[in-house]
């Protein structure tokens, strides 16, 4: 992967409106034993941000492995929030022929306030054909 | 402010401020993976097709890493009575293989170290599917 991708910020994804119906569906699917919006809910928006980033840099989706995900919250999500995710590539390193991409996505609300920061590590495995490229 | 720490093995329970951290168990079947695919929008076929999972070298259809992390969030909510989550995360280190049968697999989430300090509670965990640890450094921080 082109090392100049580091520190690049990709176009924002959203706004995504948090609805009661989607929260209920997501809570059921994650066997949620709490109240309110599950803390992994922003993955809905982050998936779109990561797909847009990967398409932009020409990475093959089938060679991407999600290695790590961490969320850091400033406040809980609530139904009605209008969220926007902006992804930045924070780090890039090579490990055994794979690119290990550290991304940092900032999720903001309608007022532009940061609600959550999400760190994801994406591992893009190379092939022997591409190994020399 | 003083800090208190509780520790427990994977089969025990940690205790902080009178809250019991009993291990939380979740069963995952193929139907649960389909449900999560629909809810999350992640339709990667390694999470529902044996053919595709086998072709990429997996031992079988595997759960979405984010589904397993979602279960971790649920365990934390159960332990803390829905306390505000400040941090949640993990590394996806080993696959949770979900067979095509009625029983599915059980994911067990145990608190291994609970540290209360400065208005927050940090919970380090161990997340297993059978004998395998499936997450690396799963950790949550909640207000409390």
């Amino acid at each position: 992967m082109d090392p100049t991708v580091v520190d690049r910020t990709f176009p924002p994804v959203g706004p995504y409106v948090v609805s009661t119906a989607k929260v209920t569906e997501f809570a059921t699917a994650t066997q949620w034993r709490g109240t309110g919006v599950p803390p992994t809910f922003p993955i809905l928006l982050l998936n779109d941000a990561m797909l847009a980033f990967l398409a932009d840099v020409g990475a093959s989706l089938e060679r991407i492995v999600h290695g790590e995900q961490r969320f850091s919250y400033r406040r809980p999500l609530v139904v009605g929030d209008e969220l926007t995710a902006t992804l930045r590539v924070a780090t890039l390193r090579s490990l055994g022929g794979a690119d290990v991409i550290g991304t940092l996505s900032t999720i903001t609300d309608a007022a532009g306030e940061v609600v959550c920061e999400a760190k994801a590590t994406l591992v893009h495995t190379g092939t022997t054909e591409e190994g020399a490229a | 402010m003083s800090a208190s720490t509780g520790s427990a093995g994977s089969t025990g329970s940690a205790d902080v401020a009178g809250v019991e951290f009993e291990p939380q168990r979740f069963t995952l079947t193929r139907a649960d993976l389909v449900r999560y695919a629909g809810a999350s929008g992640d339709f990667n076929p390694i999470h529902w097709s044996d053919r595709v999972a086998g072709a990429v070298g997996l031992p079988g259809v595997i759960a979405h890493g984010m589904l397993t992390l979602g279960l971790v969030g649920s365990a934390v909510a159960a332990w803390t009575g829905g306390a505000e989550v400040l941090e949640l995360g993990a590394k996806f280190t080993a696959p949770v293989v979900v067979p095509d049968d009625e029983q599915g697999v059980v994911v067990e989430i145990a608190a291994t170290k609970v540290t209360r300090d400065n208005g927050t509670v940090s919970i380090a965990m161990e997340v297993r599917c059978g004998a395998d640890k499936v997450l690396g450094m799963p950790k949550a921080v909640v207000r409390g």
Side-chain angles (χ1 to χ4, degrees), chain A residues 31 33, chain B residues 10-11 22-27 106-109:
Chain A
Q31 305 183 36
R33 295 172 183 176
Chain B
S10 61
T11 55
E22 288 293 330
Q24 300 285 306
R25 292 178 187 83
F26 301 86
T27 300
V106 174
V107 174
E108 179 171 298
I109 302 169

Side-chain angles (χ1 to χ4, degrees), chain B residues 116-128:
Chain B
R116 188 182 177 91
D117 191 27
N118 240 351
T120 67
V121 180
S122 299
I123 307 168
M125 287 161 273
E126 198 166 87
V127 180
R128 287 184 181 273

Side-chain angles (χ1 to χ4, degrees), chain A residues 30-41:
Chain A
T30 54
Q31 305 183 36
W32 179 233
R33 295 172 183 176
T35 55
V37 182
T40 59
F41 187 85

Side-chain angles (χ1 to χ4, degrees), chain A residues 22 25-26 28-35 39-40 43-44 47 64 66-76, chain B residues 24-28 36 38-40 66-67 70-71 73-74 77 84-92 136-137:
Chain A
K22 196 65 192 180
E25 183 190 5
F26 192 86
T28 302
T30 54
Q31 305 183 36
W32 179 233
R33 295 172 183 176
T35 55
T40 59
I43 198 64
L44 279 140
N47 275 339
I64 290 287
H66 196 180
E68 181 171 13
Q69 183 70 50
R70 295 192 183 271
F71 299 92
S72 181
Y73 277 91
R74 306 275 179 90
R75 69 160 173 86
Chain B
Q24 300 285 306
R25 292 178 187 83
F26 301 86
T27 300
L28 291 179
Y36 184 78
S40 68
M66 282 305 300
L67 170 53
L71 301 180
S74 186
E84 180 184 344
V85 173
L86 302 174
E87 291 176 31
L88 178 71
K91 292 183 179 181
F92 306 116
M137 293 188 285

Side-chain angles (χ1 to χ4, degrees), chain B residues 8-73:
Chain B
S10 61
T11 55
S13 62
D15 166 48
V16 60
V19 178
E20 276 293 322
F21 286 74
E22 288 293 330
Q24 300 285 306
R25 292 178 187 83
F26 301 86
T27 300
L28 291 179
T29 65
R30 287 287 175 91
D32 293 310
L33 303 194
V34 172
R35 187 174 293 110
Y36 184 78
S40 68
D42 182 344
F43 293 99
N44 187 328
I46 63 171
H47 305 303
W48 50 265
S49 166
D50 285 297
R51 178 177 52 83
V52 175
V56 299
L58 290 167
V61 161
I62 65 168
H64 308 70
M66 282 305 300
L67 170 53
T68 307
L69 187 59
L71 301 180
V72 171

